[in-house]
Amino acid sequence: MSTQALILATLIAFAFPAVAQVRRDGSGAAPPPVISQTIAVHRGEKITVPLGIHGTRGELLEFLIRQPPAHGKLSPVKSTTMNTAVVTYTPSARATVAEDQFAYAVRGSQGVSAPGTITIRFAQPVVAPPKFRAPAEIEFPPVFPGQRSTAEMELANDGGGTIEGEVTVPEPWSIDGLKFFRLGAGQRATVRLVFTPTEPGVRAGEAVISGSERKIIPLRASAEARLAASPAQLKLTAHVGSQTRTGVLTIANHSEEDATVVVEAGPRLLTDRSVKIPALGKSALPIFADAAEVAAFDDSVKLTSKEWSATVPVHAVAVGGILKFSKGEVAVTGSADDVASGIAILENSGGEPITVRLDAERPFEVENRVVTAPARGSVEVAILVRNAVPGIFRSTLKAAGEGGSALVSLSANISESTPSGKPAPAPRIAEENFSRADSVESGAPETEAGFISQNVRETPNALGRFARATGPSTATLDWPANLGSLDNVRIEERVLSLAANDELQIAWSPIAEVSITPERERVRAELRGLKPGRLYTVRVMTGKDADARALFSADFHTPPKKPLYEGSPTTPLLIFTLGDLLFALWRSGRAPAGKRK
């Protein structure tokens, strides 16, 4: 750098502080100029206007309004900092001009500045479009017929502008109050709707809003009857073995007053003529079917109470099988060299036929193991005694089916054979359960037709020849695979018991230990865990629930356990005596010497 340039820079550096000092002292300095500006505002709105100067001054300045606005008002000036302030402009409500102005200045230590102008331009406000709001649907509280149920429908304009319209509703609805409305921006209106039903039931309707904004609002209401009967259709049934069919109607009172219901029943029904229903309570009305009518029939019960009435259809199912033998005992007489026989008449007083299984202990037999007693009819059961030794025998005949059971006493008086009597026939095996095993041992072919007669192949109870007793605790069932599907196959044991009224009860219980092996043309089932020396009646079931059915049932005996000893009865006594003698000799040999005799 040259010497001349260095000297010039030094002079300039010393000159600037001097000038600044002169201005701070006020010698030769001008007042600060104010800021003029143009501000836009929506017509009718207030606005806060900032006031200020160009640059800064190190002193508190006073802002002065030199000329007020022509169409509005100004608030007092409020200082915000040393060099700034604000003032609020409020426009006139009647002003329609496009703009307004006012002037201001500042006063400081250098004096009052020249005025500045604030121009305020008015713009039309942006008006939002109308936004109509109404409920999506209206649901009324339930009432009784003749009462009023009310609901309020709130309408609103959540936007701008104006919405006008009218509300209309169909009967049995009505409008309580004004139907017309006018909603400005942000305004709301409430329309009161009334539902007045004349009969019970659920009703649906529509509230139609017409005008600048059209809407359809669904209406839902219900009228509940003061009284109600259930079920809608009554079914009369009877317990197994009973001829009394009955059902219960439940009548509910939904009102707060007691009610009396008059009852009119059909000619084949029995019930009370009237029933009282407490307020907000229920009463049971039993209905009985005429015991003389055992077949199924349809009838009705009519219920009436003041403004309420109802007709309940009634269906009485047929009385199930009710079994009994016509006599308490069947006596059979004959000789040892002949076949003695008798007849037991099984009566069914029920309204449905019933198929039963007949069981009799030896020497008694039945000619048919399975018989069907028709509805309100009877069937004859032939009782036979064969190959019996002379004497008097007593037993019982059991008839049992899914719908009932019956017992009859059996007695037989078998006399000695006459001298001129024919030779006694060769003994036969009365138990049909082992006929299949005999055929196998004799080499007879194993065909289904060989042990199922044509007239009983469709009767599951008649297929009793598929069982073989194989041991005291095991048995085997073997049947043709074409008898039925093995879907959900299971084997159940028949369990007999006596009820409190000495009636025989029949139940079926699953056998726990069973293994079933399907083969090509046959099915084999091994039963284990059985009790020795017992007569078993089992059935093979397939399917489940309503599709369950029995393939067949079978009877078999399990042989009793063999005794541990089968020799002479005196041998154990001799062994015991000998053992007792040896023990006495051994004990005497161990006695102390001083005590020996």
Side-chain angles (χ1 to χ4, degrees):
M1 182 181 294
S2 65
T3 303
Q4 293 178 352
L6 180 61
I7 294 173
L8 180 60
T10 304
L11 290 176
I12 292 173
F14 280 100
F16 271 98
V19 173
Q21 183 64 34
V22 170
R23 289 182 178 179
R24 281 196 298 268
D25 295 339
S27 57
V34 297
I35 300 173
S36 298
Q37 57 180 327
T38 299
I39 300 174
V41 64
H42 289 150
R43 186 178 299 279
E45 291 185 356
K46 293 182 179 181
I47 186 172
T48 299
V49 181
L51 307 177
I53 63 172
H54 291 281
T56 61
R57 293 296 173 91
E59 61 178 327
L60 179 62
L61 300 178
E62 179 184 2
F63 288 82
L64 307 173
I65 300 298
R66 307 298 285 176
Q67 181 182 350
H71 304 286
K73 294 182 180 180
L74 295 176
S75 68
V77 178
K78 181 180 180 181
S79 296
T80 55
T81 64
M82 293 180 64
N83 302 148
T84 61
V86 294
V87 65
T88 300
Y89 173 83
T90 303
S92 173
R94 297 188 298 269
T96 59
V97 295
E99 64 180 27
D100 198 1
Q101 292 181 342
F102 69 90
Y104 76 101
V106 295
R107 178 186 293 162
S109 59
Q110 292 85 19
V112 178
S113 69
T117 303
I118 301 296
T119 302
I120 299 175
R121 291 181 179 175
F122 301 110
Q124 295 296 334
V126 178
V127 179
K131 186 177 181 181
F132 189 50
R133 175 166 55 86
E137 65 176 6
I138 299 177
E139 186 167 353
F140 292 75
V143 292
F144 299 129
Q147 292 183 336
R148 289 163 51 96
S149 178
T150 61
E152 293 183 347
M153 179 173 62
E154 184 179 85
L155 308 177
N157 182 5
D158 294 335
T162 302
I163 301 175
E164 297 180 352
E166 179 186 2
V167 182
T168 58
V169 294
E171 294 184 354
W173 283 275
S174 60
I175 297 177
D176 187 4
L178 296 178
K179 301 179 181 180
F180 300 92
F181 63 91
R182 178 184 176 87
L183 302 176
Q187 292 183 341
R188 299 180 181 181
T190 300
V191 180
R192 185 181 179 87
L193 306 181
V194 180
F195 173 66
T196 310
T198 58
E199 58 185 16
V202 178
R203 298 293 299 270
E206 293 178 342
V208 179
I209 301 176
S210 58
S212 57
E213 296 285 344
R214 179 177 174 83
K215 279 186 175 294
I216 296 178
I217 302 175
L219 305 177
R220 303 183 187 278
S222 63
E224 185 179 18
R226 295 179 183 271
L227 298 173
S230 62
Q233 181 177 7
L234 184 62
K235 184 177 181 181
L236 306 184
T237 59
H239 295 291
V240 176
S242 173
Q243 199 167 343
T244 303
R245 290 161 294 173
T246 182
V248 176
L249 272 179
T250 300
I251 305 177
N253 184 2
H254 302 296
S255 68
E256 297 181 355
E257 299 179 356
D258 294 345
T260 299
V261 176
V262 178
V263 183
E264 297 180 25
R268 290 173 289 185
L269 301 176
L270 302 175
T271 187
D272 296 331
R273 294 186 177 180
S274 64
V275 59
K276 291 186 177 181
I277 319 297
L280 301 177
K282 296 181 180 180
S283 294
L285 178 65
I287 309 293
F288 299 90
D290 189 352
E293 184 68 49
V294 297
F297 65 86
D298 292 302
D299 214 321
S300 62
V301 173
K302 185 176 180 181
L303 309 173
T304 307
S305 176
K306 294 183 179 179
E307 78 283 355
W308 176 81
S309 65
T311 300
V312 180
V314 179
H315 174 71
V317 302
V319 176
I322 302 178
L323 299 178
K324 71 172 184 177
F325 285 98
S326 60
K327 296 181 179 180
E329 182 177 356
V330 176
V332 178
T333 59
S335 61
D337 58 355
D338 198 0
V339 177
S341 64
I343 296 296
I345 299 177
L346 179 62
E347 297 177 345
N348 178 16
S349 59
E352 293 182 347
I354 179 172
T355 300
V356 296
R357 178 72 173 265
L358 300 171
D359 292 316
E361 297 182 0
R362 298 191 66 177
F364 298 95
E365 302 176 17
V366 289
E367 191 172 35
N368 296 315
R369 296 288 299 276
V370 177
V371 297
T372 299
R376 306 191 72 175
S378 61
V379 61
E380 293 185 351
V381 178
I383 309 298
L384 305 177
V385 178
R386 313 172 191 259
N387 305 323
V389 298
I392 297 176
F393 304 92
R394 293 189 178 277
S395 183
T396 56
L397 172 64
K398 303 175 184 178
E402 294 294 338
S405 62
L407 294 173
V408 63
S409 299
L410 302 178
S411 64
N413 189 349
I414 306 300
S415 61
E416 296 284 351
S417 301
T418 59
S420 59
K422 299 180 181 179
R428 59 183 292 274
I429 299 177
E431 294 292 336
E432 62 178 11
N433 303 316
F434 300 100
S435 60
R436 170 164 165 74
D438 296 341
S439 66
V440 173
E441 293 176 1
S442 62
E446 293 188 15
T447 62
E448 180 181 348
F451 48 83
I452 308 177
S453 61
Q454 183 65 33
N455 61 341
V456 298
R457 290 183 188 178
E458 301 301 325
T459 306
N461 307 56
L463 305 179
R465 301 187 177 184
F466 297 149
R468 304 177 185 174
T470 58
S473 60
T474 60
T476 301
L477 298 181
D478 182 20
W479 68 90
N482 59 7
L483 281 187
S485 171
L486 297 183
D487 182 29
N488 292 308
V489 65
R490 58 197 178 279
I491 300 179
E492 300 175 344
E493 173 193 359
R494 187 183 68 178
V495 180
L496 302 178
S497 62
L498 287 177
N501 56 356
D502 293 335
E503 290 188 0
L504 184 64
Q505 303 293 323
I506 300 177
W508 295 91
S509 175
I511 297 179
E513 300 182 39
V514 176
S515 61
I516 300 176
T517 306
E519 298 175 357
R520 177 175 299 179
E521 297 181 355
R522 305 196 66 79
V523 180
R524 180 179 297 273
E526 301 290 339
L527 284 61
R528 295 179 294 275
L530 306 179
K531 296 182 179 180
R534 277 189 55 183
L535 171 64
Y536 279 88
T537 298
V538 298
R539 68 180 181 182
V540 177
M541 300 291 296
T542 62
K544 61 180 180 179
D545 300 335
D547 297 330
R549 70 183 189 91
L551 292 184
F552 64 90
S553 63
D555 295 340
F556 59 86
H557 280 91
T558 55
K561 288 184 178 180
K562 293 184 178 180
L564 296 177
Y565 179 76
E566 296 182 352
S568 173
T570 58
T571 302
L573 181 60
L574 293 175
I575 294 175
F576 177 77
T577 304
L578 180 59
D580 187 55
L581 179 61
L582 292 176
F583 177 75
L585 293 175
W586 173 79
R587 185 174 182 181
S588 61
R590 291 177 56 89
K595 294 184 179 181
R596 295 179 184 174
K597 293 183 180 180

